[in-house]
Amino acid sequence: MISNFIPGLIMIITSFLLPTIPQYFRHPAMLLSVGLSALSLFNGYGTFLEWDILGLNLILYQSDSLTLPFAIIFHIAAILVIIFSWHSKNLMEHMATLAYAGSAIGALHAGDFFSLFIWWEATALTSVFIVFAGNTNAAKDAAMRYLIIQVSSGVLLLIGACLMLYKTGNHNLAVLDLKTNFGIFIFIAFGIKAAFPLLNGWLQDSYPESSVTGTVALSAFTTKLAIYALARTFPGTDSLIWIGAIMTAFPVFFAVIENDLRRVLSFSLNNQLGFMVVGIGIGTELSLNGTVAHAFVHIIYKALLFMSMGAVLYRAGTTKASELGGLYKYMPFTTIFCIIGAMSISAFPLFSGFVAKSLIMSSLGGMGMVLIYFILFFASAGVLEHSGIKIPYFAFFAHERKNKVKEAPINMLIAMGIAAFLCIAIGVFPKYLYQILPYTVDYQPYTLDHVISQLQLLVFAIIAFLFLVKFKLYPSEIRSTVLNSDWFYRKMLPGIGKPLFKKIGILTESLYKNLGLSFKQVLSKSYKFSNLSYIKVTTPSFAGTILISILFIMLVIVLV
Amino acid sequence: MKKNDLKSMGKSFTKYILIIGALLILLDFTFHRHEYFSFAEIYGFPAFFGFVSFVFIVMLGKWLRKFLMRKEDYYDQ
């Protein structure tokens, strides 16, 4: 019976039961539900559950060699998040986190686009509560914007799925291309969640506004679900190579000047997704293995880095570089764990990033893609800059700290310790990771050529950092906002739209006056609306209106 | 006393990194490093590439502040 139960569903059911469970038993219950869901990992490959409804055959639970590694790492991430948040008593956040992780795991096992759509929206609707739980005004605003963007992605996916069914009679997950209009809709839907260039604003907008523990949960699932979906439906799509390359290179410049270290990590997340997207674009067995391996190790070290910054936020009250420094004395374990995460993401040999990134670099090298290869090599220096050096340096070193703070709580240290252990274990024994990858590929990451080449790059990039600090060329930390692609809908559109709407309002009113009618008479039942000062266009609702209008227009164009 | 801690740590870190850097360059002369692209096999190429990329990223990022940096409460205004 359990073998037919959709993985992740037990976690969602448990999340709804959490309010009935005493506080003391909530975390054990959450862990138990993840454990029960993880039993599905032993079911093997195949289709386990289908549902015929409204003449459609929905594949609710299927598993294959691409699903498995993602399912394993999503379960590991869920466990890490639960341990990390053990001290917290925020019920809403716990419920949202467990349901969110469960939805993401459910999504991995969907076998058709309609089932995927349901889970796709479920991850959006559950995770928005995690952003809400940041519990500041900024977090609430960011949550609204996040919801609009995420739901829009789902709507595009639904449009794509409907069109596909209409045109081909098929709605199962399959390899698509960009020559069909439904392919384009689905591609953009995935692209929004994968934070493609210019579609990435939501990520850096919302993740840093979440709570100490919330950001860790957010960093693991949404974007990697999108990577999984892209790997399943668009492998070998050439444009992904360039999209990915741009994603690796551009965020590094933003990360240099960003002051909030959790936002720096969000830019870094974007850059890491770029490597995975390039791997999907190449589309060979080696490169797809690279993408999956990279997603796997990335979830662990990115969670580790977000956990270390969560611990800093929890103890020091901020993650702004301009107000931190010198924490190594008070938070030695957190410092060590953060450095392990930093060395992993920077791809130092013997750390997990090295054994995963090598697969993608080798597939690029093997194909002779010289330009993309060096863009990614360049971006590797960028990763070292913002995640390898900037994060640990400004949080834990930089300058002496005056106020004492405590080391992170024990549950946080345990979660960070497990993640740090995995980072090193995978780096030292990559064969266990390689065994669970979708394709059997005999690959040896530790060749002398490769190790020396990577070490030269990293060590001399560190020397460049020391050189820039020595000569005071390294940019100082400044409290500021760095403009990102969310500027278009947070400032530019309202900037154009608000005066425009006001103008239209005034014009309409004068039109009515000229016709001898007062606005009041026409709308006598809703007097309030006749007074223009009552019409307040808020940014989220305005952005929402624009987005829905665009989606509607696109739908009309396609149907016509 | 406290100030010396970070400073001395920084100094010894710099010393070790420079030694490791020098060793890596010397190692390059002891064997032929195979790369996917022949020009990357030049002695010390990854080291040079790493150094230049890093400086370029930081300097360009710094310059971009002119266009991208706003006050902290920019979106609240």
Side-chain angles (χ1 to χ4, degrees), chain A residues 41 43-48 62-73 108-109 228 231-232 285 288-289 291-293 296 433-440:
Chain A
L41 298 174
N43 275 354
Y45 301 149
T47 303
F48 300 97
Q62 61 88 38
S63 176
D64 61 17
S65 59
L66 182 62
T67 318
L68 184 70
F70 280 94
I72 294 173
I73 193 59
L108 293 177
H109 295 90
Y228 159 79
R232 182 164 286 285
E285 291 191 348
L288 288 170
N289 267 356
T291 293
V292 177
F296 194 99
L433 172 65
Y434 292 167
Q435 274 171 8
I436 58 164
L437 296 181
Y439 303 101
T440 317

Side-chain angles (χ1 to χ4, degrees), chain A residues 220-375:
Chain A
F221 302 110
T222 299
T223 49
K224 261 61 72 184
L225 177 60
I227 293 295
Y228 159 79
L230 280 170
R232 182 164 286 285
T233 46
F234 293 100
T237 304
D238 288 343
S239 51
L240 283 176
I241 298 176
W242 275 104
I243 291 173
I246 292 167
M247 283 166 77
T248 61
F250 268 77
V252 302
F253 301 109
F254 291 79
V256 173
I257 48 177
E258 176 58 53
N259 187 39
D260 184 339
L261 295 180
R262 291 203 301 169
R263 195 158 272 127
V264 171
L265 284 178
S266 305
F267 280 116
S268 156
L269 205 170
N270 218 163
N271 144 290
Q272 293 287 299
L273 294 170
F275 284 92
M276 299 172 214
V277 170
V278 170
I280 299 168
I282 302 167
T284 60
E285 291 191 348
L286 182 64
S287 76
L288 288 170
N289 267 356
T291 293
V292 177
H294 202 211
F296 194 99
V297 297
H298 161 87
I299 287 178
I300 302 170
Y301 57 62
K302 184 57 73 178
L304 176 55
L305 288 166
F306 269 121
M307 285 193 275
S308 68
M309 286 305 107
V312 167
L313 178 64
Y314 187 64
R315 287 306 196 203
T318 181
T319 48
K320 286 183 181 147
S322 53
E323 282 139 65
L324 287 173
L327 285 172
Y328 77 100
K329 258 185 195 156
Y330 308 110
M331 304 178 82
F333 290 109
T334 308
T335 308
I336 291 167
F337 293 142
C338 179
I339 290 173
I340 291 173
M343 289 181 81
S344 301
I345 196 172
S346 308
F348 273 91
L350 299 181
F351 289 85
S352 60
F354 181 80
V355 301
K357 204 188 273 180
S358 305
L359 291 163
I360 297 172
M361 295 305 280
S362 294
S363 43
L364 275 174
M367 307 270 284
M369 296 181 178
V370 59
L371 185 59
I372 304 285
Y373 182 90
F374 281 100
I375 290 176

Side-chain angles (χ1 to χ4, degrees), chain A residues 85-106:
Chain A
S85 65
W86 205 281
H87 65 281
S88 161
K89 290 178 181 152
N90 189 333
L91 177 63
M92 182 181 87
E93 191 174 325
H94 293 328
M95 288 175 69
T97 303
L98 194 61
Y100 171 45
S103 307
I105 292 168

Side-chain angles (χ1 to χ4, degrees), chain A residues 400 449 473 476 481 483 487, chain B residues 2 62 65 68 70 74:
Chain A
E400 295 292 351
D449 303 310
L473 291 168
S476 54
T481 298
L483 299 186
W487 176 83
Chain B
K2 268 192 172 178
K62 209 169 150 182
R65 268 190 170 166
L68 296 174
R70 297 288 185 277
Y74 172 71

Side-chain angles (χ1 to χ4, degrees), chain A residues 56 114 158-172 181-182 555 558-560:
Chain A
L56 283 176
F114 289 107
L158 183 62
I159 296 172
C162 289
L163 283 170
M164 185 179 163
L165 181 66
Y166 176 68
K167 296 210 167 160
T168 66
N170 181 25
H171 60 284
N172 288 350
N181 51 14
F182 55 85
L555 185 64
V558 168
L559 291 178
V560 169

Side-chain angles (χ1 to χ4, degrees), chain A residues 252-254 256-257 320 328-330 362 365-366 368-370 373-374 377-378 381-382 385 389 397-401 448-449 452-453 455-457 459-468 473-476 478-483 486-487 490-491, chain B residues 2-7 9-10 13-14 17-18 20-22 24-25 27-28 31-37 39-40 43-51 53-62 64-65 67-75 77:
Chain A
V252 302
F253 301 109
F254 291 79
V256 173
I257 48 177
K320 286 183 181 147
Y328 77 100
K329 258 185 195 156
Y330 308 110
S362 294
M369 296 181 178
V370 59
Y373 182 90
F374 281 100
F377 207 44
F378 164 82
E385 197 287 322
I389 294 175
F397 304 101
H399 30 72
E400 295 292 351
R401 187 182 172 84
L448 189 62
D449 303 310
I452 296 296
S453 172
L455 278 177
Q456 277 196 14
L457 175 89
V459 169
F460 276 82
I462 296 173
I463 292 172
F465 170 74
L466 296 169
F467 165 83
L468 290 170
L473 291 168
Y474 196 86
S476 54
I478 302 174
R479 297 183 66 145
S480 58
T481 298
V482 176
L483 299 186
D486 55 346
W487 176 83
R490 289 177 73 181
K491 276 284 177 188
Chain B
K2 268 192 172 178
K3 272 208 162 169
N4 289 338
D5 277 3
L6 264 181
K7 267 198 174 170
M9 267 170 70
F13 180 75
T14 310
I17 280 290
L18 287 174
I20 294 169
L24 284 170
I25 294 290
L27 252 174
D28 232 12
F31 78 111
H32 181 72
R33 183 168 40 76
H34 295 277
E35 296 276 355
Y36 288 106
F37 307 101
F39 62 86
Y43 297 112
F45 178 83
F48 173 77
F49 192 86
F51 189 94
S53 300
F54 195 98
V55 173
F56 175 74
I57 288 164
V58 172
M59 297 321 264
L60 186 64
K62 209 169 150 182
L64 282 173
R65 268 190 170 166
F67 310 99
L68 296 174
M69 200 168 82
R70 297 288 185 277
K71 282 185 180 164
E72 206 170 26
D73 61 349
Y74 172 71
Y75 283 116
Q77 287 163 3

Side-chain angles (χ1 to χ4, degrees), chain A residues 1-7 9-10 13 40 43 48-49 61:
Chain A
M1 185 251 169
I2 192 91
S3 67
N4 283 344
F5 214 70
I6 304 170
L9 192 61
I10 185 80
I13 295 169
S40 64
N43 275 354
F48 300 97
L49 185 64
Y61 176 14

